[in-house]
Amino acid sequence: MQILFASSECAPWAKAGGLGDVSASLPRALVSAGHDVRVLLPAYRSLRGGLSDALETVRLAAQGPWPEAVLARLAGTGFDLWLLDCPALYDRPGNPYGDDAGIDHADNAARFGFLSHVAARLCAEGGPWKPWVADVLHANDWPTGLAPAYLSRMPRATAASVFTIHNLAFQGNVDAALAASLDVPPEWMSVEGILHWSRLSMMKAGLRHADVITTVSPTYAKEIQTPAFGCGLEGMLQLRAPSLLGILNGIDSTEWNPVTDALIPVNYGPGQWAAKARNKTALREKATLHPGPGMLFGMVSRLTEQKGVDLVLETLDRVIELGGQLVVLGSGDPILEHRFMDAAARHPGQVGVRIGFDEGMAHLIEAGADCFLMPSRFEPCGLNQMYSLVYGTPPVVNATGGLLDTVSDSDLVEDGTGFVMATPTTAALRDAIERAAAAFGTPARWRGLQERGMRQRFAWLESAKRYADVYADASRTRRPP
């Protein structure tokens, strides 16, 4: 099957979150399963240096409101990478969505509307990249939400469309007056179409027009059909419920595997606890924490309230009372960043905080911490709890989304793998931390908990098989243009 995977991120070239990891790992797994996958990505400034290595290029003529551009094919790592080169839209500093100061680009509607339009053009017979035509367009999150919509009105389009929600909270809602400049016809501009609170919603466009909708965990697929998690789009999701399903993300076991991980000081597997302990020593040294027998909690996260990090701050005193330590890596809300830095200043040798992101430090926290904190208020899938399990670092999680699908409470089930909070509250997190500390104080129980986690398998190949079934189903049920 020929699959066009359209995304605004793809690791390691452009990554702002989990979408970047998925956009590399899933296509690679699909290729391993025998499919022909092309990943379409904007040629951001960080990628322009690779354009000179293009295997071939094709010029895209201006069309309607859309500018002229060049499409360049490069050899990716396990799949073909197509870069959409339009310097006026993509050659600028910052991350895929905003400048170096974290401010969103004012023309993001045009930037990602164009990406979506090119994706749709590549899925129509006689499209710009002859003779390759996709059987399936797989669009991801709001930046490519308009792609299934554009595809639905292309008369020569034969591809089915699949749209994946990675995080419903980010919707790409823009001024409705931009409709004409985005080549959006008037008949789409209604509440039944793609209007959301009087704004044009790129996310809603994908939900409305895709043949099949997926999201990144079974529990999240159910949650987003409720007012509590639907972000105002629960009505559309309830309408599309027969075409909506959740497929759990996998993790890249070549990158996240304690037996082979090149970014940690000492490799280890199940039962090799002395080797894991040496990583704990290295983590303490790097975070300037005191040595000792106490429990070391780790956290790698965006520092936002969605991730429940304010709850961690509110329970920190209890962690210290229990003789524990905390090491944090992340960035986000400046107020939360300041609060964590203040906590480190108040508890020298017990709390270590690094603002920003460091891939090596992230791996070391997974390997060196005793327990991983992830009390997210909502979490579509989550990856760190899976990393933690396979690294023998039992996680504390909230009962939501992919966290609930991957972690079971060791106090409730015999084969539990972590500690699950019933609600995202300070009291619930304090209780979970106390339960984790009690288990840590019983070595035989803790070792069993670690080993059960390390036996878990989250291979992308299994998820890829599920997606292949989705593609086949979408092709059978494709709605006519």
Side-chain angles (χ1 to χ4, degrees):
M1 189 172 288
Q2 296 185 162
I3 303 156
L4 179 68
F5 195 93
S7 179
S8 56
E9 302 179 29
C10 186
W13 303 285
K15 175 184 171 180
L19 173 60
D21 293 316
V22 174
S23 298
S25 299
L26 176 54
R28 193 175 296 125
L30 288 164
V31 169
S32 297
H35 300 284
D36 181 356
V37 184
R38 315 292 171 96
V39 176
L40 176 64
L41 182 71
Y44 302 117
R45 177 167 293 183
S46 60
L47 282 155
R48 291 188 57 77
L51 292 172
S52 59
D53 298 323
L55 302 176
E56 51 185 321
T57 62
V58 64
R59 185 164 297 279
L60 304 178
Q63 188 176 100
W66 306 113
E68 183 180 66
V70 171
L71 199 59
R73 181 171 73 90
L74 286 78
T77 306
F79 52 82
D80 273 7
L81 182 66
W82 280 354
L83 293 182
L84 177 59
D85 183 24
C86 183
L89 293 178
Y90 307 122
D91 184 11
R92 54 186 72 173
N95 65 36
Y97 313 107
D99 61 22
D100 286 331
I103 306 300
D104 284 353
H105 296 302
D107 59 346
N108 272 348
R111 297 173 74 235
F112 295 114
F114 186 43
L115 175 66
S116 296
H117 195 266
V118 170
R121 287 164 66 180
L122 287 165
C123 296
E125 292 181 3
W129 203 286
K130 306 179 184 69
W132 196 92
V133 179
D135 298 311
V136 174
L137 165 63
H138 188 161
N140 293 272
D141 256 352
W142 72 264
T144 54
L146 281 167
Y150 292 140
L151 183 66
S152 72
R153 64 172 182 159
M154 288 193 171
R156 293 178 299 166
T158 57
S161 60
V162 174
F163 180 64
T164 297
I165 306 163
H166 296 266
N167 191 335
L168 192 65
F170 299 97
Q171 300 177 355
N173 298 331
V174 302
D175 192 332
L178 294 174
S181 67
L182 293 174
D183 197 24
V184 169
E187 57 267 27
W188 289 358
M189 298 298 289
S190 67
V191 175
E192 292 75 22
I194 68 174
L195 274 185
H196 182 47
W197 298 110
S198 301
R199 292 171 68 79
L200 186 159
S201 174
M202 294 182 172
M203 174 69 79
K204 192 174 182 182
L207 302 181
R208 175 68 179 81
H209 289 278
D211 294 307
V212 176
I213 304 165
T214 71
T215 191
V216 291
S217 71
T219 294
Y220 192 59
K222 297 173 184 175
E223 288 177 337
I224 58 178
Q225 296 179 58
T226 69
F229 294 93
C231 302
L233 291 172
E234 60 273 8
M236 178 61 72
L237 289 159
Q238 291 165 12
L239 181 68
R240 296 301 315 276
S243 301
L244 168 65
L245 74 159
I247 301 175
L248 192 69
N249 282 342
I251 61 175
D252 187 342
S253 60
T254 63
E255 180 181 358
W256 290 95
N257 183 343
V259 177
T260 58
D261 191 337
L263 297 180
I264 62 175
V266 185
N267 294 118
Y268 63 96
Q272 297 176 315
W273 309 124
K276 180 169 169 58
R278 290 166 66 187
N279 289 296
K280 181 176 180 179
T281 298
L283 176 58
R284 277 176 160 157
E285 290 174 354
K286 191 162 188 175
T288 62
L289 301 180
H290 298 318
M295 192 173 187
L296 177 55
F297 292 88
M299 185 173 71
V300 180
S301 177
R302 283 188 293 114
L303 301 182
T304 66
E305 289 195 358
Q306 178 215 322
K307 297 295 186 178
V309 298
D310 54 313
L311 305 179
V312 175
L313 286 161
E314 290 161 8
T315 55
L316 181 57
D317 286 346
R318 183 56 179 151
V319 171
I320 303 301
E321 288 172 4
L322 292 167
Q325 297 172 317
L326 173 68
V327 59
V328 177
L329 172 66
S331 62
D333 184 331
I335 294 175
L336 291 171
E337 290 181 358
H338 178 78
R339 289 180 65 189
F340 273 107
M341 293 301 294
D342 182 65
R346 287 186 291 107
H347 300 285
Q350 295 301 109
V351 177
V353 176
R354 179 171 294 187
I355 301 300
F357 186 72
D358 179 322
E359 191 73 31
M361 185 69 168
H363 283 245
L364 182 56
I365 289 173
E366 292 291 5
D370 295 305
C371 183
F372 193 89
L373 300 181
M374 202 168 175
S376 305
R377 287 181 167 85
F378 69 93
E379 193 68 61
C381 177
L383 295 175
N384 277 100
Q385 84 279 10
M386 292 189 265
Y387 301 155
S388 300
L389 289 168
V390 300
Y391 277 68
T393 306
V396 169
V397 302
N398 182 35
T400 187
L403 304 180
L404 188 59
D405 290 329
T406 52
V407 182
S408 54
D409 195 293
S410 63
D411 286 324
L412 297 179
V413 294
E414 187 175 346
D415 59 350
T417 54
F419 304 90
V420 181
M421 305 156 52
T423 56
T425 64
T426 303
L429 178 57
R430 184 184 299 112
D431 173 72
I433 287 172
E434 289 172 350
R435 291 191 290 119
F440 183 76
T442 308
R445 182 186 173 195
W446 191 257
R447 299 308 185 209
L449 180 60
Q450 290 178 295
E451 290 193 359
R452 288 194 296 275
M454 296 183 80
R455 288 198 298 267
Q456 301 299 303
R457 295 292 177 265
F458 303 106
W460 262 115
L461 196 56
E462 291 303 313
S463 299
K465 290 176 182 176
R466 294 283 311 279
Y467 274 106
D469 291 340
V470 167
Y471 299 151
D473 185 57
S475 296
R476 285 193 299 270
T477 60
R478 176 178 176 266
R479 294 179 291 180

